């Protein structure tokens, strides 16, 4: 199977992360978002699901009461970060802002 041509170098990932303050790189793109309430976290989870369906690119999401732990990488690229992950992170960041979520990691 061929590796997709949208795999990003570490320097490109770092440049993109400079514009995505909620996200960090840990072998994949990761964020931990704290929402105002558990209901808000669940609504954000649903919004992330809709974004994932639209993009046909599905992150791992762990719901913990008022917090979502999210990780994304591209399975078809051997778990590397691609432009699709950056695009999804941008969409999730916008949805998080609308939900009143903030970064829960340091």
């Amino acid at each position: 199977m061929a590796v997709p041509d949208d795999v990003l170098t570490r320097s490109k990932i770092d440049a993109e992360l400079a514009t995505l303050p909620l996200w960090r790189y840990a072998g994949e793109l990761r964020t931990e978002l704290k929402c105002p309430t558990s209901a808000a976290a669940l609504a954000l989870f649903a919004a992330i699901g809709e974004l994932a369906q639209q993009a046909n690119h599905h992150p791992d999401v762990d719901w913990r009461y008022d917090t979502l732990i999210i990780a994304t990488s591209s399975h078809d690229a051997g778990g590397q970060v691609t432009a699709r992950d950056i695009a999804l992170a941008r969409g999730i960041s916008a949805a998080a802002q609308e939900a009143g979520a903030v970064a829960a990691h340091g």
Side-chain angles (χ1 to χ4, degrees), residues 33 43 49 56-57 68 83 98 102:
L33 301 172
N56 192 28
H57 194 63
L68 297 177
E98 289 178 23
V102 297

Side-chain angles (χ1 to χ4, degrees), residues 67-84:
T67 302
L68 297 177
I69 302 162
I70 306 159
T72 185
S73 63
S74 295
H75 302 289
D76 63 342
Q80 296 182 80
V81 173
T82 65
R84 290 167 285 150

